[in-house]
Amino acid sequence: MKIDHKIVASFLLFLMTVVCIVSGVEFLDMRTPDVIYPSEDLTKIGKLSDYFEELKDGSGDTDIYFFEGKEPGATVLLLCGTHPNEASGFIAGVLATENVKIKAGRLLIIPQACLSGFSCTDPMEGYPQSYTLESKSGERKFRFGSRVSNPLDQWPDPLVYSHFPSGQKLSGFETRNLNRSYPGRPDGTFTEKVGYAIVQLIKKEKIDLAFDLHEAAPEIPIINAIIYHEKSEDIGLNAILNLEFRDLRYAPERSPENFHGLSHREWGDNTDVYPFLMETCNPIQGRLRGRTNSELILTGKSPQYLAAQETGKLRIEYDAEGVPLDKRVARHLQGFLEIVNSYNEFFPEKTILLEGLPEYEDLLENGLSNYLK
Amino acid sequence: MIFWLYIVILVLLSLVIVKEMFEERDWKKQIALVMVLIPFILRIFLIK
């Protein structure tokens, strides 16, 4: 029996509608905001649009958590979630927001710098949309987003991305990468506007010390590193030495002077801040990762990377225990605390005194769940 | 501006594909056409 081709077309269109609705509901679920419960020391919650009006109420208008001590001191910016598929940076920001107590100075935390990127995943990667962590109040779901801004906010990508103002050429995909967009511009692309707003924040709030937390694939040479602008070198190396005394190894990496658009380069060149960028090892970002699911985000266990390590060609230490999220967050927080301590040593007249954040060993012993509300 | 220009292009392409679906007599090609249409529809409605 031959079915009329118009009936087949109608049936296929109906099927397409069902597929669009089912997948659409799933995609739209990624626009549900992550919930963060700030500590009692929170002074106020600001918005990125406070520094660049054009972002107001848009998908780049992320929250800024202000913690202000009773004593005056330095102002520190902890920027997380620049790349929403780098979970340890975001979760370190959430943990800090929910636990920090401040005695002197000011701490500003942006847990989701690239808020737009939290509303989608990278195409063709098979990434999960979210992962679940245990907390004191039960299970909490967090979004696992894209490395770059959502194409719905900035599209189409050019074939070649030309960075402003250096003119440096990068692949078109990088045009939506916040950490290639600094110092940004008010009349640029969506991502450049977000970068511009962050630089304005650094200037207007007179930030003294700034952090940008990241992760990278095991095969990327800069994992487990602290990257610093040349003017931050003494503070950074002093912190790295102190971390070595705790048996924590961080590779010191000086920011290349001719690699533009990155926070550790442009924040340092365009503002008075001492910038630092930290990286941990995240197997789900790597090419050898194998099965790609939320379990891999949490455990960092990949048999493929273990096999690669056994060939002797992988630069990092990687063993059967993997690189769990607890450990990656603990590294970020310990690195952050040591750099803050180092800054305080160099500038004793303008210190920042923080409490409530777990030390590396405490976080590993007690687990993330004991620090999430 | 260029964003909305691309959306208009997508709408026009989608209409052409739907028209083609109703003229195509090979069901395998009709399936191929509908598979192309799905990402277009999701982008037109600003879902993905």
Side-chain angles (χ1 to χ4, degrees), chain A residues 325-361:
Chain A
L325 184 61
D326 296 37
K327 189 175 182 179
R328 283 140 54 201
V329 171
R331 281 188 69 91
H332 270 328
L333 287 177
Q334 195 61 51
F336 167 71
L337 289 171
E338 289 296 351
I339 292 172
V340 166
N341 289 340
S342 180
Y343 177 88
N344 288 342
E345 284 179 34
F346 279 87
F347 299 96
E349 74 287 357
K350 197 179 184 187
T351 58
I352 176 158
L353 299 176
L354 303 172
E355 291 177 359
L357 298 183
E359 300 274 316
Y360 178 82
E361 297 79 8

Side-chain angles (χ1 to χ4, degrees), chain A residues 2 5-10 12-13 16 19-20 23-25 27-28 31 120-121 150-156, chain B residues 2-4 6-7 10 18 21-27 30-31 34 37-39 41-43 45-48:
Chain A
K2 188 165 171 59
H5 67 281
K6 290 183 179 173
I7 294 176
V8 175
S10 302
L12 287 175
L13 277 180
M16 183 209 71
V19 169
C20 285
S23 57
V25 167
F27 292 140
L28 290 174
R31 298 189 196 173
C120 65
T121 54
N150 192 325
L152 293 177
D153 295 314
Q154 186 182 322
W155 184 68
Chain B
I2 196 167
F3 178 89
W4 293 110
Y6 268 60
I7 293 292
L10 269 189
V18 170
M21 271 187 72
F22 280 92
E23 289 175 359
E24 179 58 58
R25 289 173 183 275
D26 182 344
W27 63 271
Q30 284 179 310
I31 288 177
V34 85
L37 205 51
I38 290 171
I41 298 298
L42 290 173
R43 180 57 53 92
F45 285 100
L46 304 183
I47 293 170
K48 183 67 175 174

Side-chain angles (χ1 to χ4, degrees), chain A residues 22-129:
Chain A
V22 171
S23 57
V25 167
E26 203 168 308
F27 292 140
L28 290 174
D29 185 46
M30 285 205 77
R31 298 189 196 173
T32 308
D34 299 290
V35 181
I36 298 174
Y37 307 101
S39 81
E40 298 76 25
D41 279 20
L42 180 79
T43 311
K44 68 169 181 177
I45 300 177
K47 287 280 187 185
L48 195 55
S49 59
D50 298 340
Y51 305 90
F52 182 48
E53 180 79 22
E54 207 177 302
L55 294 177
K56 194 168 180 62
D57 297 330
S59 42
D61 196 9
T62 194
D63 289 337
I64 307 165
Y65 295 84
F66 286 75
F67 299 89
E68 297 178 4
K70 286 177 182 156
E71 303 294 325
T75 301
V76 175
L77 171 66
L78 180 59
L79 189 94
C80 315
T82 294
H83 294 150
N85 63 337
E86 298 172 9
S88 78
F90 170 48
I91 296 299
V94 173
L95 193 151
T97 305
E98 299 191 354
N99 291 275
V100 75
K101 296 186 186 309
I102 187 156
K103 300 298 168 195
R106 297 196 309 151
L107 174 65
L108 278 60
I109 304 177
I110 303 181
Q112 294 176 300
C114 182
L115 186 61
S116 165
F118 279 87
S119 62
C120 65
T121 54
D122 286 333
M124 313 299 287
E125 295 285 353
Y127 283 151
Q129 293 190 169

Side-chain angles (χ1 to χ4, degrees), chain A residues 114 116-117 120 146-154 176-178 190-191 194:
Chain A
C114 182
S116 165
C120 65
S146 165
R147 177 177 171 79
V148 295
S149 300
N150 192 325
L152 293 177
D153 295 314
Q154 186 182 322
R176 286 183 282 128
N177 184 345
L178 178 58
F190 169 83
T191 310
V194 174

